[in-house]
Amino acid sequence: MRAARIVYFILGIILLAPWLVYNIKVYLNNKMNKKKFPTGRIVICILVSAIMISGIYAHYRFTIGYQIPLVAERAGLLFSQRLEGKLDLLSYQKEMQRQNLSSEGGIITVSDEELDKVGFQQKKTNLLLSERVYPMEDGSMIVYLMYDDGQMPLYSFLQLKQSEYSWKVVLHDVLSQEEFEKLSEETKIKFYHEGS
């Protein structure tokens, strides 16, 4: 996510800078020639700048909803807040809907009681995402996540389905160490830190 924000910020500067520099030059030329800067030009400059900013922001929102790793990272970070005790199950589900990461029907996920049994609630964790996205026969995609607290990792997976031009999380479940090791033998799952 951080990389996407940086890319779109730089893109915004690259697109807006020439337009703004051009208008500043016109303004300075008019000032040197003692001409009045036309009001229409000011309005056009503001409108075109607003349209460019809106277009860049709309493309950014499209990208973070359409790129599966970015959707998984956002959902994984919300689940991290749940593991740290900042969100309960209901708040987590509402936040997933608010950020447009799940459909109106919500997501199927692990309960607070099950997290307590695993012993992973109220712990600060680092999020790692699988390097690959794994397609399923029904058209959905699976992304594996690892939450590392420095002692014992917690493994989980997200199942995502495409909804128009974005991906939505339909299932977020926890894997036992044995389940993950069996999966990893078959698919050779490798992780990278979110934000890298």
Side-chain angles (χ1 to χ4, degrees):
M1 280 297 297
R2 191 177 312 128
R5 285 190 200 111
I6 291 169
V7 166
Y8 278 92
F9 179 75
I10 291 170
L11 180 65
I13 289 172
I14 290 170
L15 291 176
L16 279 172
W19 171 248
L20 295 175
V21 167
Y22 168 75
N23 281 291
I24 289 169
K25 281 184 180 180
V26 169
Y27 171 77
L28 293 175
N29 283 339
N30 283 344
K31 193 171 183 179
M32 284 176 49
N33 295 330
K34 298 190 187 214
K35 291 182 182 176
K36 187 177 178 188
F37 195 67
T39 308
R41 192 171 211 38
I42 294 170
V43 171
I44 290 171
C45 179
I46 292 170
L47 283 175
V48 170
S49 298
I51 289 170
M52 291 171 80
I53 291 168
S54 298
I56 292 165
Y57 182 73
H59 197 272
Y60 166 76
R61 295 296 304 166
F62 167 78
T63 301
I64 64 171
Y66 187 74
Q67 294 294 320
I68 295 172
L70 294 176
V71 174
E73 180 179 345
R74 291 168 54 215
L77 288 171
L78 278 177
F79 196 76
S80 289
Q81 290 181 16
R82 190 169 167 216
L83 291 175
E84 293 169 9
K86 296 176 184 173
L87 295 173
D88 62 5
L89 178 59
L90 187 60
S91 302
Y92 167 72
Q93 289 176 326
K94 284 182 181 175
E95 190 64 21
M96 289 287 285
Q97 286 181 352
R98 191 188 72 73
Q99 291 191 25
N100 204 24
L101 293 169
S102 68
S103 63
E104 291 298 319
I107 64 170
I108 300 167
T109 188
V110 61
S111 69
D112 290 335
E113 293 78 27
E114 291 171 310
L115 282 178
D116 283 336
K117 286 179 189 172
V118 177
F120 231 83
Q121 270 194 314
Q122 311 292 324
K123 291 185 177 182
K124 177 78 176 144
T125 61
N126 293 317
L127 173 63
L128 292 92
L129 301 169
S130 60
E131 289 181 347
R132 290 183 41 218
V133 174
Y134 300 88
M136 302 299 288
E137 291 176 6
D138 64 354
S140 64
M141 300 290 181
I142 299 287
V143 177
Y144 295 99
L145 301 98
M146 181 172 74
Y147 297 92
D148 188 11
D149 68 348
Q151 296 172 356
M152 186 182 92
L154 174 71
Y155 297 100
S156 71
F157 70 93
L158 293 171
Q159 183 179 5
L160 301 105
K161 286 194 176 180
Q162 192 167 13
S163 172
E164 295 178 5
Y165 297 107
S166 63
W167 289 89
K168 308 280 188 200
V169 178
V170 293
L171 172 66
H172 190 175
D173 205 359
V174 173
L175 296 167
S176 68
Q177 185 74 31
E178 297 79 28
E179 290 171 323
F180 176 75
E181 286 171 3
K182 185 179 176 187
L183 275 169
S184 190
E185 279 179 30
E186 297 169 10
T187 57
K188 307 290 187 238
I189 300 171
K190 294 182 182 177
F191 292 99
Y192 69 92
H193 283 276
E194 63 83 17
S196 56

